[in-house]
């Protein structure tokens, strides 16, 4: 994790690099993310909590990212989608 990223909010980071009347283009944003050592999505997070989740997720190995992403999809899917999904895989899943 970058020292700069851990001490500033995503909003502050964007404001440091983007002038008030212009939007950051994707190439510039990618460069800033690489320079800061953070995922690109971190710079566009809507709030500090989401930014921290994005930063932590980016530090995980790819296999762990896939596992966590699948787990989160199940947690946020509507109960009917969970049941339908479980039926399609041949497994039984309880819904909350």
């Amino acid at each position: 994790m970058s020292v700069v990223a851990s001490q500033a909010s995503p909003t502050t980071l964007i404001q440091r690099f983007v002038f008030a009347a212009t939007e950051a283009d994707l190439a510039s944003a990618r460069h800033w993310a690489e320079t800061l050592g953070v995922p690109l999505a971190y710079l566009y997070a809507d709030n500090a909590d989401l930014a921290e989740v994005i930063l932590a997720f980016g530090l995980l190995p790819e296999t762990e990212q896939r596992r966590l992403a699948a787990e989160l999809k199940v947690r946020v899917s509507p109960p009917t989608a969970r049941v339908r999904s479980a039926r399609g895989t041949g497994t039984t899943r309880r819904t909350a």
Side-chain angles (χ1 to χ4, degrees):
M1 172 172 25
S2 169
V3 174
V4 173
S6 66
Q7 295 176 351
S9 73
T11 302
T12 302
L13 292 171
I14 292 292
Q15 288 172 345
R16 287 182 188 164
F17 294 106
V18 181
F19 295 104
T22 61
E23 291 185 23
D25 63 281
L26 188 55
S28 295
R30 278 198 177 109
H31 174 75
W32 302 332
E34 288 173 13
T35 300
L36 294 168
V38 299
L40 178 61
Y42 178 86
L43 298 177
Y44 292 99
D46 289 339
N47 59 61
D49 289 334
L50 181 56
E52 288 302 312
V53 169
I54 291 168
L55 189 58
F57 188 86
L59 294 173
L60 295 172
E62 281 187 45
T63 54
E64 188 66 12
Q65 287 179 2
R66 284 191 295 273
R67 186 199 62 75
L68 183 56
E71 184 180 316
L72 287 171
K73 286 176 188 176
V74 169
R75 289 186 68 179
V76 299
S77 66
T80 56
R82 289 184 213 155
V83 172
R84 186 174 32 249
S85 174
R87 286 185 190 141
T89 61
T91 61
T92 304
R93 179 171 294 163
R94 287 179 125 175
T95 58

